[in-house]
Amino acid sequence: MKKRTKTIIATIAGTVILTGAIWLINESRYPNVPAFNDHFTRKFLNKDKKVDDGFYEFKSKTGQYTMWFPEEYQLLHENEQQYVKEGKLYERYRAVSNSNELEYMTVEFLNKIKKMNLFTLKDCFKSNLIQINLIK
């Protein structure tokens, strides 16, 4: 009976160690910035595409646009009113700065545009340039 108990304990311990190692390896693949520390925000970002100093490529869950997303911001998602998506036609979210909770951005996308447009928002996020590309 003791031998069987030791085998079961060794199997459980090995499984826990293996699971922990896989999790650590997976987590180490992401940049160590606030945007990637939040698992919800991470789903929108391309970890391999840093578009400029302090910005990563953000791809909308509607599939209609990409934009530059500041690495020190995180999307709010605690309740269903902070992130709203309706198919490919509508998306709204708010992101807050980790460095200063008074700095935030609100983005609302409504797909009523028939051609490709490029919007440039200037003087945002400490005078950095953020481009939003609408893809049709």
Side-chain angles (χ1 to χ4, degrees), residues 43-44 58-66 83-93 107-111 132-136:
K43 294 176 189 176
F44 293 83
F58 176 99
K59 182 156 175 128
S60 164
K61 291 298 178 188
T62 66
Q64 301 296 311
Y65 66 94
T66 61
Y83 176 78
V84 178
K85 176 183 164 287
E86 294 178 21
K88 291 187 173 193
L89 300 176
Y90 182 79
E91 184 175 42
R92 183 187 76 235
Y93 51 86
V107 176
E108 185 170 13
F109 169 76
L110 180 61
N111 186 12
I132 300 174
N133 296 309
L134 295 179
I135 302 168
K136 229 8 184 165

Side-chain angles (χ1 to χ4, degrees), residues 68-80:
W68 293 12
F69 191 84
E71 65 185 17
E72 73 271 3
Y73 278 66
Q74 293 179 342
L75 295 176
L76 297 175
H77 59 279
E78 281 113 27
N79 63 51
E80 55 199 41

Side-chain angles (χ1 to χ4, degrees), residues 31-62:
N32 189 20
V33 296
F36 284 98
N37 291 338
D38 178 55
H39 290 276
F40 183 75
T41 305
R42 178 188 295 183
K43 294 176 189 176
F44 293 83
L45 301 176
N46 183 349
K47 71 178 178 339
D48 299 323
K49 194 158 186 183
K50 188 170 187 176
V51 290
D52 198 12
D53 190 34
F55 292 89
Y56 285 89
E57 182 183 75
F58 176 99
K59 182 156 175 128
S60 164
K61 291 298 178 188
T62 66

